[in-house]
Amino acid sequence: MHTSRYRMFQMIFGSFGRGDRNFLGSRGRTAKPIRPLDERRSGMTDWHPWDAEHRRRGHDPDRPHEESGYGHDDPYRHPDSADPQRQADGRQLGDLPWQERPWGGTVSSETAPLHSGPVHTGPVHTGYPDGPAHEPTARGTTYRAATPMAEPDLEYDDASEGRSPRGRRAAVAGVALGGLAVAAAAVPPVRHALLGLFDSDAAPTAAEERSDLPVPVTSEPPASGAPEAPRREGPVPDSFTDRDSSYSMSKPRKKGKPNKQPKWPSKQDKSPELAAQNAQPAATTPLSHDPLQHLLARFTFGASPTDVAELRRGGVLRWLHRQLNTAKPGYTGAPASVMPLLSKSPRQLIDAVAAKQIGSSDAMNQLTYATFACQLWSPYQLYERMVDFWANHLSVANHDGDQYPYRHTFDRDVIRPHALGKFSDMLLASSKNPSMLKYLNQNESRKESVNENYGREILELHTLGYGGGYTETDVRQTSYIFTGRTISGTTREYIFDPKRHYVGPVSAVGFKHENKTAEGGEAVGDAFVRHLALLPATAKFICRKLCVRFVSDVPPQALVDRLAKVYLRHGSAIKPVLWTLFLSYEFWASRGQKTRRPGENVVATARALDVKPGADPKKGLNSLYGVTRAMGHSPLDWQPPNGYPDVANAWVSAGTMLRLWGAHRALAQGTYQGFGYGPLAKLYDVRARTAGAVVDSLAMRLLGQRLRASDREAMLAFLGAEADTPVSSVDVAGKLPHLVPLFFDSVYHALR
Amino acid sequence: MTSEYLHPDCPDTSRLGPTEADAALRARAARVEADLAAADDGWRRGFTRRAFVATAGMAGVAALGSQYVTTKVAFADPAASNGNTVVVMFLRGGCDGLHMLVPASEALGVAEYRKARPGIALPAGKLTALSGGWAMNSALAKLQPLYKAGELAFIPAVATDEVSRSHFQAQDFYECGGPPAQARNGWLDRVLEKLGPGTTFRAISEGTSLPRSMAGNQSKIVLSGVDTFAFPGSKQLAASSKKALDALYRGIDHPLTSQVRETLSALATAEKIAAKPYEPGADYGEGRVGAALMDVARLVKANVGLQVATVDVGGFDTHTDEINQLEKIGTSLAQVLSAFLADLGPLRKKVTLVAMTEFGRRLGQNASGGTDHGHGAVMFAAGAGVVGGKVHGKWPGLAKDDLDHGDVAGANQAFDVLGELITKRLGVGSLSTVFPGHAYKPLGIFR
């Protein structure tokens, strides 16, 4: 207990006698600042633009603030910003403002089996009533029910700290909230608040929620025509059935020698900070080993100066809390003027287009603008990251002729309300959304003549994943289950039309139902959707995608498995999964292993430059739309239903690279009209006296790290100066519009 | 060979090329290569060695026109390139073969075809007769002259047991060129590897991102139009910006490094080509596919050493309204293809195009005047070296027992078609690494 208290203390108040910064943003009381610049070479004495300002106001940047309780010297904090110690409401650091559970639900120890015993998915009804006969395929794999999940291993190395006489429930809390639970021990008031969280208003457990599921049918022998194949669950590692993995499996660069794989630590820590502090990079990367930059690179659309300041000031825990628990679903940060149509109903849009009051692409364009605007300016960046993730998981192409009255409803009513909620809720909403139904032709599917597009993709792309253990028979059965879901001819909203619904026993991927009435068809479909969302193969498929998004193109399987367990344990709630990701060493060890895709690169450039909405944001956003479209990565525009590829190899393109360089120049030089741009001269320390100091402070400001010596030389060569050339004899002002883009062209900005 | 050995003044350099000027050019390029490699070594800071250094010991260069090769290239075997170009067109979405190439005779199964597709089977008036009882959707009528001239051939019922009815699995299978355990990079990447070094523009992909078939270590250029392939920003500072960019990506062991290098090295050529406005020798019509193939024709004519090009065509996932959708796409595709060959002029004797798709579609129509995912698909080949005017391969028929789960069965294999294409047209020898595990049986489509 002593150790843990000390570590927690360290975490919050800094480690004494060492110069390294802890991850609540503070540095040890006696620490000297680490100077990123070579002072002798650069001639600079202050290593941050604001240091002099501090000094002017009577602070010594090299000395801890007198009033600061934790020896704070924050290079990213503007002197005008509020004191990090005192929040607006007077709370002190340490009063962790958790008003709710980290993920808004209780920790459940329920691991109810999803099915009991093997369930055969025989050809209850295999094909089209009047069409050619379809036999169960011998080639396909036959789905066997998942064995009940083993009790998840809740014990990490947790002999003394997380366990308490409160029993199992508290133990679970201790694990999931390890760092906080320990903090609770150290800070009594917080402890009370935290432990109280788990005592009341428990959300329904996964098992309770599933009470609407039909009772699983007891085991049946497989039909003779369908030999039992070994069940495959989730994407098979050595398989290119998963597009992302298929792209990432490159050939060894040298014959016979496998490419170097990262050395993944397979560990969880008690809290994100500890994991951040303890995890070492799994592979060499040009990016600095800076966990705060890492967090921002992965969970924002690029670090803006504000993000950096907030994270340095408040630390990881507070940042995560704000991002996870205070994010308001919706379009925070987007100027209302760019998206007046997004609140309209499909009917209203159809009428307005028919009356020529608006153009037929207007609403789709506004969705693009709103998406860009949120990515650029929303304070809830983690939420936006998840919106982007889900929008590419349940992918519906925007800018598709048929979609003009519908597509925004998918974003507004399906993705955004549930982006940090439960996947089962999102999937259910998507199965009742006109945009999705239209996109995958479900609106045209009828019992007498099925269109199986949606039925196939919900299995292959939304839930189980290819190789997730479904057969062609399952695809057809799934399509039958969903008959009746369509779009109203009048309101153009989703309706369930019982007349279209196929009646009769249905069976697919472990789900069976008598499906006796047409009117009950919607409930059967709903139950089936929830069943799909909670299958182990679904958990692995989604968690692997999450890891590809946030960890590495080839993510460590152990992490995927851990996340999948948490996903199932929490009934597809996404916050616990993310929390587990933040506790993992793998996440923090993955610095630099992702490459920014073109759209991300452009948005990150604008965020680093702190580009503001300006006078005519629509115009500026439209420019971003144009440039990202030319690079094949404008938001929500991937035409096939599998979402944009998420691995670097898929984005190799010389043409795109040139366009990206063009976008860097356009943003740095302010050529996209409508936006508000700050003066470039403010990007570096005005007191820099040498060319070297200018380059160094630009690197810190734009990239959040120092450059390698060779890169520093390259920048200086571009300026036509030596490191110690006085600023006065260099044409900085003239060169800056062309020098700044080079920072964004560099590898430090290309990776994340 | 060291840089000193390859110094232009050295008399030995004369044997590096057919002419003295050419040899000097190669030698100078090789010296630049070696210098760059040395700079890389010097700048390396804690990163692992780049693999290309392995070939630096024999750093050489193949020159073609004024082209310099990219960093990875060793000395070119002149036999490696026979001057031919292969264009692989992927029809994304699962092209309905039965709606493009129709079995129009009793023997081929026209009765079953009409019965299964009461709403969407093409009526006789919408068919353009070919040979052997086959007919083409008349939307493709512009291709008929090519067929008659023996420059166009079809292959129906292309599928194997290893492709499923999933777009993505099927595309991946074909583009990887085999089962996952053996085929890790794209099949065209392995073709490039077998072809050995070439120019910067030896492999291009028209589009915005790399198709799976090209994924891998070999250098290639992805671009959408050579006209837009130019260095952005200030003209005065372009040279110093490029220099800075080159330096910024030295000594970093990351795939981006080679991308940057390839981009920079392609710029000079592209800018030279783009400087002269292109006057196509035929009307490609509107649309991206036309623009892409026009760009390919332009590069072929510019003689930049283009060996392999890929072009994607979308819109074939016809779950709804198939008649109109395919009418539109078919018409434009036929126009684009005939324009492409016409535009090439005499160079059409050097260029072969093959079109493929991930799967065919179901025999029976669905609820929406469309078809769902099926199995046996159609391929076609056009241009140089095609044994045309013919429908090649086997046809399994459309009788109930001949179907595969209600779909056209697989009777021919795509890798046989592609294998024959690259052996006969590009001179790739053994196919064992290109299509691992595939027993190659040529169908006689190419000569």
Side-chain angles (χ1 to χ4, degrees):
Chain A
M1 212 60 178
H2 171 80
T3 316
S4 74
R5 275 193 198 204
Y6 178 63
R7 289 184 86 180
M8 197 58 210
F9 193 69
Q10 263 190 323
M11 222 167 64
I12 297 175
F13 298 107
S15 50
F16 290 85
R18 291 196 300 149
D20 54 345
R21 185 175 292 278
N22 70 35
F23 298 103
L24 283 173
S26 62
R27 195 185 294 121
R29 194 179 285 275
T30 58
K32 285 281 176 201
I34 308 157
R35 293 176 183 270
L37 303 187
D38 180 342
E39 290 178 20
R40 278 170 306 176
R41 205 159 43 157
S42 69
M44 256 181 76
T45 49
D46 294 312
W47 66 287
H48 193 272
W50 294 315
D51 284 354
E53 187 61 25
H54 282 295
R55 194 169 274 130
R56 192 176 62 71
R57 294 182 179 215
H59 304 309
D60 181 353
D62 286 2
R63 243 183 49 226
H65 292 222
E66 296 305 328
E67 70 275 30
S68 160
Y70 58 114
H72 185 79
D73 169 26
D74 183 348
Y76 288 91
R77 183 161 65 86
H78 194 275
D80 292 339
S81 66
D83 188 291
Q85 280 301 282
R86 288 183 201 286
Q87 302 296 307
D89 56 7
R91 275 196 304 249
Q92 293 288 310
L93 190 87
D95 293 351
L96 291 168
W98 300 89
Q99 297 302 317
E100 50 178 305
R101 301 161 189 87
W103 49 84
T106 188
V107 182
S108 161
S109 59
E110 299 293 338
T111 54
L114 294 162
H115 328 278
S116 59
V119 176
H120 163 59
T121 61
V124 178
H125 188 107
T126 49
Y128 302 107
D130 307 318
H134 297 286
E135 298 303 325
T137 169
R139 200 179 298 140
T141 51
T142 303
Y143 189 86
R144 265 194 304 139
T147 44
M149 248 186 67
E151 188 74 347
D153 177 18
L154 290 171
E155 312 296 332
Y156 300 106
D157 55 342
D158 188 21
S160 62
E161 294 160 12
R163 305 287 288 272
S164 75
R166 284 176 192 81
R168 181 172 168 73
R169 224 174 176 191
V172 177
V175 171
L177 265 177
L180 287 177
V182 181
V187 190
V190 183
R191 169 195 201 163
H192 178 74
L194 277 174
L195 296 176
L197 289 179
F198 297 95
D199 291 333
S200 56
D201 66 282
T205 64
E208 283 159 6
E209 280 201 359
R210 280 198 304 272
S211 59
D212 58 336
L213 289 185
V215 178
V217 180
T218 47
S219 59
E220 266 174 47
S224 53
E228 195 136 325
R231 183 167 58 90
R232 279 162 53 199
E233 200 183 82
V236 186
D238 191 21
S239 146
F240 51 66
T241 51
D242 173 62
R243 180 235 346 229
D244 284 331
S245 77
S246 85
Y247 259 115
S248 343
M249 288 200 305
S250 63
K251 271 184 46 142
R253 293 194 206 171
K254 260 187 187 169
K255 263 191 186 161
K257 278 195 176 177
N259 290 341
K260 256 195 186 168
Q261 291 301 315
K263 290 200 184 95
W264 292 110
S266 185
K267 263 173 97 173
Q268 301 276 109
D269 221 317
K270 309 276 169 234
S271 76
E273 298 93 329
L274 291 177
Q277 223 157 8
N278 294 331
Q280 294 302 313
T284 6
T285 165
L287 302 195
S288 64
H289 173 38
D290 179 345
L292 297 190
Q293 289 289 347
H294 179 61
L295 183 60
L296 292 175
R298 296 294 171 90
F299 279 94
T300 70
F301 277 88
S304 75
T306 325
D307 299 325
V308 176
E310 184 199 342
L311 186 55
R312 298 261 177 222
R313 187 167 69 236
V316 168
L317 211 54
R318 195 183 287 276
W319 192 85
L320 284 179
H321 164 67
R322 188 175 78 71
Q323 294 289 338
L324 281 171
N325 293 330
T326 70
K328 288 194 276 295
Y331 295 90
T332 316
S337 65
V338 305
M339 47 178 199
L341 295 177
L342 298 195
S343 56
K344 304 290 185 216
S345 70
R347 182 77 256 167
Q348 287 172 314
L349 287 181
I350 290 169
D351 292 345
V353 169
K356 297 206 188 314
Q357 292 159 344
I358 56 171
S360 62
S361 300
D362 287 4
M364 298 187 291
N365 289 346
Q366 288 182 12
L367 179 58
T368 302
Y369 303 150
T371 305
F372 265 132
C374 290
Q375 293 178 356
L376 286 166
W377 302 307
S378 172
Y380 307 126
Q381 286 284 306
L382 184 149
Y383 171 76
E384 288 301 325
R385 272 291 190 197
M386 291 310 295
V387 166
D388 180 61
F389 173 80
W390 293 119
N392 280 284
H393 180 64
L394 303 178
S395 184
V396 177
N398 192 19
H399 289 102
D400 179 291
D402 288 346
Q403 285 290 336
Y404 79 92
Y406 304 119
R407 181 58 182 84
H408 69 291
T409 70
F410 193 71
D411 197 68
R412 184 189 70 196
D413 305 336
V414 178
I415 299 294
R416 289 187 178 264
H418 302 293
L420 285 173
K422 285 191 170 180
F423 177 64
S424 56
D425 294 340
M426 185 188 290
L427 189 66
L428 188 60
S430 80
S431 76
K432 297 179 174 187
N433 177 276
S435 179
M436 175 61 88
L437 300 187
K438 181 90 187 160
Y439 179 56
L440 293 178
N441 313 120
Q442 177 61 32
N443 60 323
E444 308 188 27
S445 193
R446 296 186 303 272
K447 61 186 171 190
E448 61 275 14
S449 179
V450 165
N451 188 314
E452 67 178 37
N453 203 7
Y454 181 64
R456 176 182 301 280
E457 304 305 12
I458 196 173
L459 298 181
E460 177 177 337
L461 299 176
H462 300 169
T463 58
L464 297 160
Y466 188 87
Y470 62 90
T471 63
E472 286 295 311
T473 306
D474 290 325
V475 170
R476 287 163 197 156
Q477 286 285 300
T478 300
S479 304
Y480 273 106
I481 293 173
F482 287 131
T483 48
R485 287 174 192 242
T486 189
I487 301 174
S488 156
T490 49
T491 65
R492 302 297 185 106
E493 303 279 2
Y494 160 79
I495 51 160
F496 182 79
D497 179 359
K499 290 195 294 296
R500 293 174 168 226
H501 184 67
Y502 169 81
V503 176
V506 285
S507 159
V509 288
F511 175 87
K512 279 198 164 200
H513 201 283
E514 290 305 313
N515 187 29
K516 280 185 177 153
T517 66
E519 289 70 25
E522 187 179 26
V524 175
D526 290 359
F528 180 55
V529 167
R530 290 195 181 279
H531 169 87
L532 286 177
L534 298 172
L535 286 173
T538 304
K540 286 204 178 168
F541 184 55
I542 288 176
C543 290
R544 184 175 191 287
K545 271 189 159 181
L546 270 171
C547 291
V548 169
R549 180 88 280 255
F550 294 115
V551 179
S552 168
D553 287 1
V554 190
Q557 189 61 38
L559 177 64
V560 175
D561 293 343
R562 291 210 304 279
L563 297 191
K565 270 188 186 179
V566 174
Y567 172 100
L568 290 174
R569 198 190 307 151
H570 294 279
S572 82
I574 200 61
K575 283 188 196 175
V577 177
L578 289 175
W579 189 255
T580 311
L581 185 72
F582 294 128
L583 295 178
S584 77
Y585 277 34
E586 287 97 326
F587 169 70
W588 298 101
S590 64
R591 178 80 167 137
Q593 288 192 38
K594 291 291 291 180
T595 305
R596 283 188 168 131
R597 298 178 292 176
E600 296 172 321
N601 192 310
V602 170
V603 172
T605 307
R607 284 178 59 81
L609 287 166
D610 214 9
V611 170
K612 300 287 187 209
D616 188 357
K618 189 177 141 189
K619 200 168 182 184
L621 295 167
N622 197 44
S623 300
L624 292 193
Y625 175 38
V627 70
T628 50
R629 194 174 43 179
M631 296 188 288
H633 196 210
S634 49
L636 313 176
D637 277 349
W638 183 251
Q639 285 301 316
N642 56 347
Y644 279 114
D646 199 6
V647 292
N649 281 345
W651 294 98
V652 170
S653 162
T656 291
M657 186 162 265
L658 288 171
R659 287 198 160 98
L660 212 43
W661 294 345
H664 295 158
R665 278 150 188 80
L667 282 165
Q669 295 159 15
T671 41
Y672 295 148
Q673 290 176 16
F675 284 150
Y677 301 91
L680 290 181
K682 288 235 168 135
L683 293 175
Y684 69 94
D685 187 344
V686 285
R687 290 154 302 113
R689 289 179 194 90
T690 62
V694 170
V695 168
D696 292 341
S697 74
L698 279 173
M700 284 308 285
R701 169 64 184 76
L702 299 174
L703 306 169
Q705 73 168 84
R706 306 177 63 178
L707 301 176
R708 293 179 305 157
S710 62
D711 295 335
R712 190 171 186 262
E713 294 304 322
M715 297 296 188
L716 286 167
F718 182 82
L719 274 178
E722 301 290 328
D724 53 4
T725 309
V727 169
S728 52
S729 48
V730 185
D731 176 21
V732 177
K735 288 274 179 71
L736 212 50
H738 312 283
L739 176 68
V740 167
L742 285 174
F743 285 86
F744 297 123
D745 301 342
S746 76
V747 73
Y748 309 100
H749 186 73
L751 304 182
R752 67 180 178 96
Chain B
M1 273 176 225
T2 64
S3 54
E4 295 88 274
Y5 188 74
L6 282 171
H7 193 278
D9 298 340
C10 171
D12 275 0
T13 54
S14 60
R15 63 183 173 80
L16 289 177
T19 67
E20 212 173 296
D22 186 61
L25 205 62
R26 292 172 186 230
R28 195 183 316 141
R31 192 178 50 165
V32 170
E33 287 302 308
D35 287 350
L36 290 181
D40 267 344
D41 271 333
W43 265 321
R44 196 165 291 113
R45 294 273 189 279
F47 299 107
T48 51
R49 292 178 67 81
R50 272 186 51 77
F52 90 85
V53 178
T55 62
M58 48 184 292
V61 75
L64 193 124
S66 61
Q67 291 286 299
Y68 291 137
V69 288
T70 52
T71 45
K72 282 181 196 169
V73 187
F75 199 88
D77 176 359
S81 172
N82 54 16
N84 286 344
T85 302
V86 156
V87 182
V88 179
M89 176 181 266
F90 209 106
L91 312 177
R92 308 260 171 201
C95 172
D96 186 9
L98 290 171
H99 202 78
M100 295 302 216
L101 177 71
V102 179
S105 69
E106 286 302 322
L108 298 176
V110 72
E112 288 90 346
Y113 165 73
R114 297 207 185 283
K115 188 171 163 231
R117 300 184 162 198
I120 61 167
L122 290 163
K126 285 272 194 181
L127 292 175
T128 303
L130 297 172
S131 55
W134 292 96
M136 214 165 41
N137 185 334
S138 57
L140 301 171
K142 281 204 171 164
L143 294 179
Q144 204 188 21
L146 294 178
Y147 189 84
K148 283 192 170 155
E151 284 187 290
L152 175 68
F154 289 93
I155 308 96
V158 179
T160 83
D161 284 355
E162 289 153 295
V163 298
S164 73
R165 285 156 178 78
S166 149
H167 292 297
F168 310 109
Q169 186 273 343
Q171 289 184 16
D172 270 353
F173 178 84
Y174 281 132
E175 295 192 81
C176 291
Q182 288 120 39
R184 285 170 171 266
N185 49 348
W187 74 275
L188 284 171
D189 191 65
R190 294 195 294 277
V191 169
L192 292 172
E193 196 177 353
K194 292 217 66 150
L195 288 174
T199 66
T200 314
F201 276 94
R202 69 177 175 155
I204 64 153
S205 190
E206 287 283 345
T208 51
S209 59
L210 190 70
R212 189 64 186 78
S213 57
M214 288 274 209
N217 295 329
Q218 298 296 313
S219 69
K220 67 242 352 163
I221 300 282
V222 182
L223 78 173
S224 40
V226 76
D227 274 329
T228 62
F229 200 88
F231 191 80
S234 152
K235 287 270 173 293
Q236 291 88 3
L237 290 170
S240 52
S241 295
K242 280 189 242 179
K243 202 174 148 203
L245 276 164
D246 187 58
L248 284 171
Y249 280 88
R250 295 215 160 264
I252 297 167
D253 184 29
H254 195 277
L256 276 173
T257 314
S258 47
Q259 248 192 87
V260 169
R261 227 44 76 69
E262 279 146 24
T263 306
L264 290 174
S265 88
L267 269 172
T269 313
E271 281 166 0
K272 205 182 289 172
I273 297 172
K276 219 173 100 196
Y278 186 63
E279 306 273 346
D283 179 15
Y284 285 86
E286 297 290 315
R288 278 193 303 191
V289 181
L293 275 183
M294 185 164 81
D295 216 51
V296 173
R298 187 176 185 179
L299 289 169
V300 169
K301 288 195 210 171
N303 194 23
V304 293
L306 181 63
Q307 291 176 303
V308 176
T310 67
V311 173
D312 279 356
V313 188
F316 286 95
D317 196 14
T318 48
H319 287 279
T320 59
D321 194 20
E322 176 162 328
I323 290 201
N324 290 323
Q325 281 199 45
L326 287 188
E327 166 96 30
K328 229 188 297 176
I329 303 177
T331 310
S332 114
L333 196 59
Q335 172 170 11
V336 162
L337 285 177
S338 56
F340 176 61
L341 290 183
D343 186 17
L344 283 170
L347 286 169
R348 71 197 284 165
K349 298 270 175 257
K350 291 275 184 193
V351 181
T352 315
L353 180 144
V354 165
M356 62 191 297
T357 187
E358 64 261 38
F359 47 61
R361 305 189 76 85
R362 197 146 283 170
L363 172 61
Q365 70 185 62
N366 70 7
S368 324
T371 48
D372 292 328
H373 303 182
H375 198 52
V378 74
M379 286 180 80
F380 61 85
V386 175
V387 179
K390 230 183 129 178
V391 175
H392 290 271
K394 294 184 212 125
W395 173 245
L398 296 178
K400 196 177 166 191
D401 292 344
D402 297 331
L403 297 176
D404 182 318
H405 301 85
D407 310 327
V408 177
N412 306 302
Q413 306 236 339
F415 297 155
D416 286 336
V417 180
L418 300 174
E420 195 176 349
L421 172 76
I422 56 174
T423 42
K424 299 225 173 116
R425 299 306 303 161
L426 291 179
V428 169
S430 158
L431 293 175
S432 59
T433 57
V434 178
F435 300 114
H438 177 72
Y440 170 55
K441 285 189 224 74
L443 298 172
I445 303 164
F446 302 98
R447 55 172 77 90

